[in-house]
Short mmCIF file of all heavy atoms in Angstrom, two decimals:
data_model
loop_
_atom_site.label_atom_id
_atom_site.label_comp_id
_atom_site.label_asym_id
_atom_site.label_seq_id
_atom_site.Cartn_x
_atom_site.Cartn_y
_atom_site.Cartn_z
N ALA A 293 92.15 103.75 113.56
CA ALA A 293 93.54 103.57 113.95
C ALA A 293 94.00 104.75 114.78
O ALA A 293 93.63 105.90 114.52
CB ALA A 293 94.42 103.42 112.72
N SER A 294 94.81 104.45 115.77
CA SER A 294 95.29 105.50 116.66
C SER A 294 96.31 106.41 116.01
O SER A 294 96.48 107.55 116.44
CB SER A 294 95.89 104.88 117.93
OG SER A 294 97.00 104.06 117.60
N GLU A 295 96.97 105.93 114.99
CA GLU A 295 98.00 106.69 114.29
C GLU A 295 97.51 107.02 112.89
O GLU A 295 97.34 106.14 112.05
CB GLU A 295 99.30 105.90 114.24
CG GLU A 295 100.48 106.66 113.66
CD GLU A 295 101.77 105.90 113.78
OE1 GLU A 295 102.06 105.40 114.89
OE2 GLU A 295 102.50 105.80 112.77
N SER A 296 97.29 108.28 112.63
CA SER A 296 96.69 108.70 111.38
C SER A 296 97.57 108.45 110.17
O SER A 296 97.07 108.28 109.05
CB SER A 296 96.32 110.19 111.44
OG SER A 296 97.47 110.99 111.66
N ARG A 297 98.88 108.41 110.36
CA ARG A 297 99.79 108.19 109.24
C ARG A 297 99.86 106.73 108.81
O ARG A 297 100.35 106.43 107.72
CB ARG A 297 101.20 108.68 109.61
CG ARG A 297 101.31 110.18 109.81
CD ARG A 297 102.66 110.57 110.34
NE ARG A 297 103.74 110.14 109.46
CZ ARG A 297 105.04 110.22 109.75
NH1 ARG A 297 105.42 110.72 110.92
NH2 ARG A 297 105.95 109.80 108.89
N PHE A 298 99.39 105.84 109.63
CA PHE A 298 99.44 104.43 109.31
C PHE A 298 98.33 104.07 108.34
O PHE A 298 97.21 104.57 108.46
CB PHE A 298 99.32 103.60 110.59
CG PHE A 298 99.74 102.17 110.45
CD1 PHE A 298 101.05 101.80 110.66
CD2 PHE A 298 98.83 101.20 110.08
CE1 PHE A 298 101.45 100.49 110.53
CE2 PHE A 298 99.22 99.89 109.94
CZ PHE A 298 100.53 99.53 110.16
N SER A 299 98.62 103.19 107.41
CA SER A 299 97.63 102.75 106.45
C SER A 299 97.56 101.24 106.41
O SER A 299 98.55 100.55 106.59
CB SER A 299 97.94 103.30 105.05
OG SER A 299 99.18 102.81 104.57
N PHE A 300 96.36 100.73 106.17
CA PHE A 300 96.11 99.31 106.08
C PHE A 300 95.73 98.95 104.65
O PHE A 300 95.15 99.76 103.92
CB PHE A 300 94.98 98.88 107.02
CG PHE A 300 95.27 99.12 108.47
CD1 PHE A 300 94.82 100.26 109.11
CD2 PHE A 300 96.00 98.19 109.20
CE1 PHE A 300 95.08 100.47 110.44
CE2 PHE A 300 96.27 98.39 110.54
CZ PHE A 300 95.81 99.54 111.16
N ASP A 301 96.04 97.72 104.27
CA ASP A 301 95.56 97.24 102.98
C ASP A 301 94.15 96.66 103.16
O ASP A 301 93.17 97.25 102.70
CB ASP A 301 96.51 96.23 102.34
CG ASP A 301 97.01 95.16 103.30
OD1 ASP A 301 96.50 95.07 104.44
OD2 ASP A 301 97.94 94.42 102.91
N ASN A 302 94.03 95.52 103.83
CA ASN A 302 92.73 94.96 104.12
C ASN A 302 92.30 95.31 105.54
O ASN A 302 93.12 95.38 106.45
CB ASN A 302 92.74 93.44 103.96
CG ASN A 302 93.08 93.01 102.56
OD1 ASN A 302 92.75 93.69 101.59
ND2 ASN A 302 93.75 91.88 102.43
N MET A 303 91.02 95.50 105.72
CA MET A 303 90.45 95.71 107.04
C MET A 303 89.20 94.86 107.16
O MET A 303 88.61 94.44 106.15
CB MET A 303 90.12 97.18 107.28
CG MET A 303 91.31 98.11 107.16
SD MET A 303 90.94 99.81 107.67
CE MET A 303 90.97 99.62 109.46
N GLY A 304 88.80 94.61 108.39
CA GLY A 304 87.62 93.78 108.54
C GLY A 304 87.15 93.69 109.97
O GLY A 304 87.65 94.36 110.87
N TRP A 305 86.14 92.85 110.13
CA TRP A 305 85.55 92.58 111.42
C TRP A 305 85.45 91.09 111.66
O TRP A 305 85.05 90.33 110.77
CB TRP A 305 84.15 93.20 111.52
CG TRP A 305 84.15 94.69 111.52
CD1 TRP A 305 84.06 95.52 110.44
CD2 TRP A 305 84.24 95.54 112.67
NE1 TRP A 305 84.09 96.83 110.83
CE2 TRP A 305 84.20 96.87 112.20
CE3 TRP A 305 84.34 95.30 114.03
CZ2 TRP A 305 84.26 97.96 113.07
CZ3 TRP A 305 84.41 96.38 114.89
CH2 TRP A 305 84.37 97.69 114.40
N TYR A 306 85.83 90.68 112.85
CA TYR A 306 85.65 89.34 113.32
C TYR A 306 84.78 89.37 114.57
O TYR A 306 84.59 90.42 115.18
CB TYR A 306 87.00 88.69 113.67
CG TYR A 306 87.87 88.37 112.48
CD1 TYR A 306 88.50 89.38 111.76
CD2 TYR A 306 88.08 87.05 112.07
CE1 TYR A 306 89.31 89.09 110.67
CE2 TYR A 306 88.89 86.76 110.99
CZ TYR A 306 89.50 87.78 110.30
OH TYR A 306 90.30 87.48 109.22
N ARG A 307 84.26 88.22 114.94
CA ARG A 307 83.49 88.15 116.17
C ARG A 307 83.73 86.82 116.85
O ARG A 307 84.08 85.83 116.22
CB ARG A 307 82.00 88.35 115.91
CG ARG A 307 81.33 87.23 115.13
CD ARG A 307 79.88 87.60 114.83
NE ARG A 307 79.19 86.54 114.12
CZ ARG A 307 77.96 86.65 113.62
NH1 ARG A 307 77.28 87.79 113.77
NH2 ARG A 307 77.40 85.62 112.99
N GLN A 308 83.54 86.81 118.15
CA GLN A 308 83.72 85.61 118.94
C GLN A 308 82.67 85.55 120.03
O GLN A 308 82.59 86.44 120.88
CB GLN A 308 85.12 85.55 119.56
CG GLN A 308 85.42 84.25 120.26
CD GLN A 308 86.88 84.11 120.62
OE1 GLN A 308 87.60 85.10 120.72
NE2 GLN A 308 87.33 82.88 120.80
N ALA A 309 81.87 84.51 119.98
CA ALA A 309 80.87 84.26 121.00
C ALA A 309 81.48 83.36 122.08
O ALA A 309 82.44 82.63 121.82
CB ALA A 309 79.63 83.61 120.40
N PRO A 310 80.94 83.39 123.29
CA PRO A 310 81.49 82.56 124.36
C PRO A 310 81.53 81.08 123.98
O PRO A 310 80.55 80.53 123.49
CB PRO A 310 80.52 82.80 125.52
CG PRO A 310 79.96 84.16 125.26
CD PRO A 310 79.84 84.24 123.76
N GLY A 311 82.68 80.46 124.19
CA GLY A 311 82.84 79.05 123.90
C GLY A 311 83.00 78.71 122.44
O GLY A 311 83.05 77.52 122.10
N LYS A 312 83.07 79.70 121.58
CA LYS A 312 83.20 79.46 120.15
C LYS A 312 84.47 80.10 119.61
O LYS A 312 85.06 80.98 120.23
CB LYS A 312 81.99 80.00 119.40
CG LYS A 312 80.67 79.35 119.78
CD LYS A 312 79.52 79.89 118.95
CE LYS A 312 78.22 79.22 119.31
NZ LYS A 312 77.08 79.74 118.50
N GLN A 313 84.88 79.63 118.44
CA GLN A 313 86.05 80.18 117.79
C GLN A 313 85.75 81.54 117.18
O GLN A 313 84.62 81.83 116.80
CB GLN A 313 86.56 79.23 116.70
CG GLN A 313 87.05 77.89 117.22
CD GLN A 313 87.58 77.01 116.10
OE1 GLN A 313 87.57 77.39 114.93
NE2 GLN A 313 88.05 75.84 116.46
N ARG A 314 86.79 82.35 117.08
CA ARG A 314 86.64 83.62 116.42
C ARG A 314 86.39 83.39 114.92
O ARG A 314 87.07 82.57 114.30
CB ARG A 314 87.88 84.48 116.63
CG ARG A 314 87.75 85.90 116.12
CD ARG A 314 88.97 86.74 116.50
NE ARG A 314 89.12 86.86 117.94
CZ ARG A 314 90.01 87.65 118.54
NH1 ARG A 314 90.83 88.40 117.80
NH2 ARG A 314 90.10 87.69 119.84
N GLU A 315 85.43 84.10 114.37
CA GLU A 315 85.07 83.91 112.98
C GLU A 315 85.06 85.23 112.24
O GLU A 315 84.79 86.30 112.80
CB GLU A 315 83.69 83.25 112.87
CG GLU A 315 82.55 84.09 113.41
CD GLU A 315 81.18 83.47 113.17
OE1 GLU A 315 81.08 82.53 112.36
OE2 GLU A 315 80.20 83.93 113.80
N LEU A 316 85.35 85.14 110.96
CA LEU A 316 85.32 86.31 110.10
C LEU A 316 83.88 86.72 109.84
O LEU A 316 83.03 85.89 109.49
CB LEU A 316 86.02 86.01 108.77
CG LEU A 316 85.97 87.12 107.71
CD1 LEU A 316 86.77 88.32 108.16
CD2 LEU A 316 86.48 86.60 106.37
N VAL A 317 83.61 88.00 109.98
CA VAL A 317 82.30 88.56 109.67
C VAL A 317 82.31 89.21 108.30
O VAL A 317 81.46 88.93 107.45
CB VAL A 317 81.85 89.57 110.74
CG1 VAL A 317 80.52 90.20 110.36
CG2 VAL A 317 81.76 88.90 112.10
N ALA A 318 83.27 90.10 108.08
CA ALA A 318 83.35 90.82 106.82
C ALA A 318 84.75 91.40 106.66
O ALA A 318 85.41 91.73 107.64
CB ALA A 318 82.31 91.94 106.76
N ILE A 319 85.19 91.50 105.41
CA ILE A 319 86.46 92.13 105.10
C ILE A 319 86.25 93.10 103.95
O ILE A 319 85.33 92.95 103.15
CB ILE A 319 87.57 91.12 104.75
CG1 ILE A 319 87.14 90.23 103.57
CG2 ILE A 319 87.94 90.28 105.96
CD1 ILE A 319 88.24 89.34 103.04
N ILE A 320 87.13 94.08 103.88
CA ILE A 320 87.10 95.05 102.79
C ILE A 320 88.54 95.39 102.43
O ILE A 320 89.37 95.64 103.30
CB ILE A 320 86.28 96.30 103.17
CG1 ILE A 320 86.19 97.26 101.99
CG2 ILE A 320 86.85 96.98 104.41
CD1 ILE A 320 85.15 98.37 102.20
N THR A 321 88.83 95.40 101.14
CA THR A 321 90.17 95.73 100.68
C THR A 321 90.33 97.24 100.55
O THR A 321 89.38 98.00 100.67
CB THR A 321 90.46 95.08 99.32
OG1 THR A 321 89.66 95.71 98.31
CG2 THR A 321 90.14 93.59 99.35
N SER A 322 91.56 97.65 100.31
CA SER A 322 91.82 99.07 100.12
C SER A 322 91.07 99.63 98.92
O SER A 322 90.77 100.82 98.88
CB SER A 322 93.32 99.32 99.97
OG SER A 322 93.85 98.63 98.85
N GLY A 323 90.78 98.76 97.95
CA GLY A 323 90.04 99.18 96.77
C GLY A 323 88.53 99.10 96.91
O GLY A 323 87.81 99.48 95.99
N GLY A 324 88.05 98.60 98.05
CA GLY A 324 86.63 98.58 98.30
C GLY A 324 85.93 97.26 98.03
O GLY A 324 84.70 97.18 98.20
N SER A 325 86.66 96.23 97.63
CA SER A 325 86.05 94.92 97.45
C SER A 325 85.70 94.32 98.80
O SER A 325 86.46 94.44 99.76
CB SER A 325 86.97 93.98 96.69
OG SER A 325 87.23 94.47 95.39
N THR A 326 84.56 93.66 98.88
CA THR A 326 84.07 93.14 100.15
C THR A 326 83.75 91.66 100.07
O THR A 326 83.44 91.12 99.01
CB THR A 326 82.81 93.89 100.61
OG1 THR A 326 81.78 93.74 99.63
CG2 THR A 326 83.10 95.37 100.81
N ASN A 327 83.82 91.01 101.22
CA ASN A 327 83.37 89.64 101.39
C ASN A 327 82.71 89.52 102.75
O ASN A 327 83.13 90.15 103.72
CB ASN A 327 84.53 88.65 101.29
CG ASN A 327 84.96 88.38 99.87
OD1 ASN A 327 84.25 87.71 99.12
ND2 ASN A 327 86.11 88.89 99.48
N TYR A 328 81.67 88.69 102.81
CA TYR A 328 80.89 88.53 104.02
C TYR A 328 80.71 87.06 104.36
O TYR A 328 80.65 86.20 103.48
CB TYR A 328 79.50 89.14 103.87
CG TYR A 328 79.49 90.63 103.63
CD1 TYR A 328 79.53 91.14 102.34
CD2 TYR A 328 79.43 91.51 104.70
CE1 TYR A 328 79.51 92.51 102.13
CE2 TYR A 328 79.41 92.88 104.49
CZ TYR A 328 79.45 93.38 103.20
OH TYR A 328 79.43 94.73 102.99
N ALA A 329 80.61 86.79 105.65
CA ALA A 329 80.19 85.48 106.07
C ALA A 329 78.76 85.23 105.60
O ALA A 329 77.94 86.15 105.56
CB ALA A 329 80.26 85.35 107.59
N ASP A 330 78.46 83.99 105.24
CA ASP A 330 77.13 83.68 104.75
C ASP A 330 76.04 84.05 105.75
O ASP A 330 74.94 84.45 105.37
CB ASP A 330 77.02 82.19 104.41
CG ASP A 330 77.79 81.81 103.16
OD1 ASP A 330 78.11 82.70 102.36
OD2 ASP A 330 78.07 80.61 103.00
N SER A 331 76.35 83.94 107.03
CA SER A 331 75.36 84.19 108.05
C SER A 331 74.94 85.65 108.16
O SER A 331 73.90 85.95 108.76
CB SER A 331 75.88 83.71 109.41
OG SER A 331 77.07 84.40 109.77
N VAL A 332 75.72 86.57 107.59
CA VAL A 332 75.40 87.99 107.71
C VAL A 332 75.12 88.65 106.38
O VAL A 332 74.77 89.83 106.34
CB VAL A 332 76.53 88.76 108.43
CG1 VAL A 332 76.85 88.11 109.77
CG2 VAL A 332 77.78 88.86 107.56
N LYS A 333 75.24 87.93 105.28
CA LYS A 333 74.98 88.50 103.97
C LYS A 333 73.56 89.04 103.89
O LYS A 333 72.61 88.39 104.30
CB LYS A 333 75.20 87.47 102.87
CG LYS A 333 76.65 87.17 102.58
CD LYS A 333 76.79 86.17 101.44
CE LYS A 333 78.24 85.89 101.12
NZ LYS A 333 78.39 84.89 100.04
N GLY A 334 73.45 90.24 103.36
CA GLY A 334 72.16 90.88 103.24
C GLY A 334 71.73 91.64 104.46
O GLY A 334 70.76 92.41 104.40
N ARG A 335 72.43 91.46 105.57
CA ARG A 335 72.09 92.15 106.81
C ARG A 335 73.17 93.13 107.25
O ARG A 335 72.85 94.18 107.82
CB ARG A 335 71.84 91.14 107.94
CG ARG A 335 70.70 90.18 107.66
CD ARG A 335 70.35 89.36 108.91
NE ARG A 335 71.47 88.52 109.34
CZ ARG A 335 72.06 88.61 110.53
NH1 ARG A 335 71.62 89.49 111.42
NH2 ARG A 335 73.06 87.81 110.84
N PHE A 336 74.42 92.78 107.01
CA PHE A 336 75.55 93.61 107.43
C PHE A 336 76.21 94.25 106.22
O PHE A 336 76.26 93.66 105.14
CB PHE A 336 76.60 92.79 108.17
CG PHE A 336 76.19 92.26 109.52
CD1 PHE A 336 74.87 92.35 109.97
CD2 PHE A 336 77.13 91.66 110.33
CE1 PHE A 336 74.50 91.86 111.21
CE2 PHE A 336 76.77 91.16 111.58
CZ PHE A 336 75.46 91.26 112.02
N THR A 337 76.75 95.43 106.42
CA THR A 337 77.50 96.13 105.39
C THR A 337 78.78 96.68 105.98
O THR A 337 78.75 97.36 107.01
CB THR A 337 76.69 97.28 104.77
OG1 THR A 337 75.47 96.77 104.21
CG2 THR A 337 77.50 97.96 103.67
N ILE A 338 79.90 96.38 105.34
CA ILE A 338 81.18 96.91 105.76
C ILE A 338 81.60 98.02 104.80
O ILE A 338 81.38 97.92 103.59
CB ILE A 338 82.26 95.81 105.84
CG1 ILE A 338 83.55 96.36 106.44
CG2 ILE A 338 82.51 95.18 104.47
CD1 ILE A 338 84.59 95.28 106.74
N ASP A 339 82.16 99.07 105.32
CA ASP A 339 82.74 100.10 104.49
C ASP A 339 83.92 100.72 105.21
O ASP A 339 84.18 100.43 106.38
CB ASP A 339 81.71 101.16 104.05
CG ASP A 339 80.99 101.82 105.21
OD1 ASP A 339 81.63 102.10 106.25
OD2 ASP A 339 79.78 102.09 105.08
#
């Protein structure tokens, strides 16, 4: 984040390939709980 004083609750990553809809890749809560798209489980890690 460009502003250090700002805080987020949930953060994550999305991706969009040409001609396709934007899809969720992974999310992480402020407490550290994570969820992943099935296509990236075991390969990607969010922190």
Side-chain angles (χ1 to χ4, degrees):
S294 61
E295 186 174 311
S296 60
R297 294 173 58 188
F298 197 89
S299 63
F300 298 97
D301 46 10
N302 299 327
M303 302 188 77
W305 292 91
Y306 290 72
R307 68 185 182 187
Q308 187 169 22
K312 298 183 179 180
Q313 296 182 359
R314 188 174 298 187
E315 64 175 346
L316 175 68
V317 177
I319 57 172
I320 184 168
T321 69
S322 60
S325 298
T326 60
N327 281 288
Y328 297 90
D330 288 341
S331 60
V332 306
K333 285 182 178 178
R335 299 189 298 120
F336 292 9
T337 301
I338 187 171
D339 56 39

